[in-house]
Amino acid sequence: MNEQIIRYPNGQIIGRIRELPDRIEARAPGGVLLGWYCKVSDRTRYATGVQFAIGNAVRMLL
């Protein structure tokens, strides 16, 4: 698992991007799942499972 912390210029955490073998997850600073990108289906989804975009748009969820 690879994790990248996304920050504002002042250092405040915006969120985290976690790369897993089958998907990439966007998480809030507290660790709450915001959504994910499925590598197999090439779709980005909200945490509820509703499709957000075609392709990798996981950073836009933050």
Side-chain angles (χ1 to χ4, degrees):
M1 177 178 73
N2 188 11
E3 183 174 276
Q4 182 180 11
I5 298 173
I6 310 299
R7 299 177 183 266
Y8 288 112
N10 67 2
Q12 183 181 3
I13 296 175
I14 299 170
R16 303 170 192 275
I17 304 289
R18 287 186 181 170
E19 186 162 352
L20 302 169
D22 59 338
R23 68 187 195 172
I24 301 171
E25 296 179 343
R27 293 189 174 264
V32 176
L33 180 67
L34 300 173
W36 71 88
Y37 166 70
C38 179
K39 295 177 182 179
V40 176
S41 66
D42 192 34
R43 311 247 186 227
T44 302
R45 298 186 179 274
Y46 290 112
T48 60
V50 176
Q51 183 175 320
F52 174 70
I54 297 173
N56 186 355
V58 75
R59 285 185 175 258
M60 288 193 264
L61 295 171
L62 297 176

